[in-house]
Amino acid sequence: MRYLKYLFVLILAFTACKTKKYALDNSIIAKEMSAKKVARKHVSANFKKKTIAAKFKVNFNDGITKQSISVYLRIKKDEVIWLKGTKFINVFKAKITPEKVRFYSPIEKKYFEGDFSMLEKLLGTKINFQQLQNLFLGQAILDVKNKKQNIVLEKNAYVLSPKIQATLFDAFFAIHPGHFKLNQQSIINTLKKQRLDIKYASYKLVDDEIIPQRINIKAKQNNKLTIIDFILRSIELNTKINTSFTIPNGYKRMNL
């Protein structure tokens, strides 16, 4: 009986592992499902742990500048997003909270400190802390659960779009049929000839959390295209993280 007990435990463990691997399998076929149910499953798939400490390789190309840097990301869920970019030396450091955006450049000896209106100006649309956090977690940057959605099956994904689109832009969210994280989200402003596409090429299972392993961002405005690739190198969850941030003395304030 003791051996049967051990065998039973092993079978359960194997089944659990197999189920989680299967959730990441791109061979899963999307079956018909209501928009409400897909939205609910997507929201419930959100990151549930308290902290993230990750390292990414980031490739940047805007047609003029092309470079690769290492980016360290630390997140205290719903509280802080902390970023540091390095390439032999520190390139930038940033700390973002629901109320404030702060960053500085050791190369230019300049800093910025302000609210989210700065990011809104750069992106051409309103954005808040929660939306920025969702971008890194493979979640929709707009509310898909509490607003009525249209749904279509396209390229083996559930594509949600608001029944009443926003005045300035249209939004689309392609959701994976296995783990219900995003395959892609797109924000399109036809009038201003702006388009933002965020693709999640792959995910990784880490401590029972499904984490984006590669994020590709394409931002197009008129004929200018900026491409940013985030490639996950390492990650730890629910560890003690340091998000301290101090702007060095003597730096000049940026006017954005």
Side-chain angles (χ1 to χ4, degrees), residues 144-160:
V144 296
K145 186 177 178 182
N146 296 315
K147 293 185 179 180
K148 291 184 178 180
Q149 304 286 322
N150 293 315
I151 185 169
V152 295
L153 283 176
E154 187 176 302
K155 295 181 180 179
N156 197 39
Y158 301 107
V159 180
L160 299 181

Side-chain angles (χ1 to χ4, degrees), residues 3 21 23 133 151 198:
Y3 295 119
K21 287 179 181 178
Q133 180 177 262
I151 185 169
I198 306 166

Side-chain angles (χ1 to χ4, degrees), residues 4-253:
L4 286 175
K5 180 179 74 174
Y6 292 153
L7 180 61
F8 182 69
V9 171
L10 284 171
I11 289 170
L12 283 179
F14 175 77
T15 305
C17 292
K18 189 175 180 181
T19 301
K20 291 184 181 301
K21 287 179 181 178
Y22 182 69
L24 296 172
D25 190 349
N26 287 328
S27 67
I28 297 173
I29 304 300
K31 299 178 181 179
E32 285 193 14
M33 195 178 295
S34 69
K36 188 174 182 179
K37 187 173 182 180
V38 170
R40 187 170 65 247
K41 282 180 172 288
H42 174 64
V43 171
S44 68
N46 198 4
F47 183 78
K48 296 176 177 62
K49 290 188 167 55
K50 294 181 179 179
T51 67
I52 293 174
K55 179 183 178 182
F56 290 88
K57 177 184 177 183
V58 177
N59 299 318
F60 176 89
N61 185 357
D62 66 356
I64 299 172
T65 302
K66 185 177 181 180
Q67 64 178 346
S68 296
I69 63 172
S70 294
V71 172
Y72 297 84
L73 168 70
R74 297 172 188 169
I75 295 178
K76 284 185 181 179
K77 192 183 177 189
D78 302 328
E79 294 181 29
V80 177
I81 298 172
W82 182 98
L83 295 153
K84 182 174 76 171
T86 65
K87 189 174 183 179
F88 307 116
I89 61 171
N90 287 345
V91 178
F92 73 87
K93 197 170 181 180
K95 184 174 182 178
I96 303 165
T97 65
E99 297 79 27
K100 189 177 290 187
V101 177
R102 305 172 73 201
F103 69 85
Y104 66 82
S105 166
I107 296 173
E108 296 184 358
K109 306 293 183 185
K110 291 182 179 180
Y111 76 94
F112 175 84
E113 189 170 17
D115 58 23
F116 274 85
S117 61
M118 179 275 295
L119 290 182
E120 292 170 7
K121 185 178 179 181
L122 290 176
L123 296 174
T125 184
K126 286 191 175 182
I127 189 169
N128 57 36
F129 177 89
Q130 191 68 45
Q131 290 170 324
L132 192 61
Q133 180 177 262
N134 282 358
L135 186 152
F136 287 111
L137 298 177
Q139 294 294 125
I141 61 175
L142 299 181
D143 183 2
V144 296
K145 186 177 178 182
N146 296 315
K147 293 185 179 180
K148 291 184 178 180
Q149 304 286 322
N150 293 315
I151 185 169
V152 295
L153 283 176
E154 187 176 302
K155 295 181 180 179
N156 197 39
Y158 301 107
V159 180
L160 299 181
S161 58
K163 286 195 171 183
I164 302 175
Q165 292 278 17
T167 305
L168 296 178
F169 59 85
D170 295 332
F172 302 90
F173 306 97
I175 296 172
H176 190 281
H179 50 67
F180 288 90
K181 304 287 278 186
L182 288 176
N183 284 347
Q184 180 173 333
Q185 51 185 327
S186 299
I187 307 294
I188 304 166
N189 186 326
T190 305
L191 187 63
K192 292 187 176 181
K193 296 181 180 179
Q194 295 173 331
R195 180 178 181 123
L196 177 66
D197 291 300
I198 306 166
K199 293 183 180 180
Y200 300 86
S202 62
Y203 285 87
K204 182 178 182 179
L205 184 65
V206 183
D207 297 340
D208 296 325
E209 294 282 357
I210 297 174
I211 304 294
Q213 195 169 23
R214 183 159 187 167
I215 306 171
N216 173 263
I217 300 174
K218 290 184 179 179
K220 189 173 183 180
Q221 183 165 1
N222 296 317
N223 294 321
K224 183 180 179 181
L225 177 65
T226 299
I227 300 174
I228 309 172
D229 262 326
F230 286 83
I231 304 163
L232 184 66
R233 292 304 191 209
S234 64
I235 187 166
E236 291 182 332
L237 307 181
N238 267 6
T239 58
K240 187 176 181 180
I241 60 174
N242 181 359
T243 60
S244 61
F245 184 93
T246 303
I247 296 171
N249 293 329
Y251 280 37
K252 294 182 178 179
R253 188 182 184 98

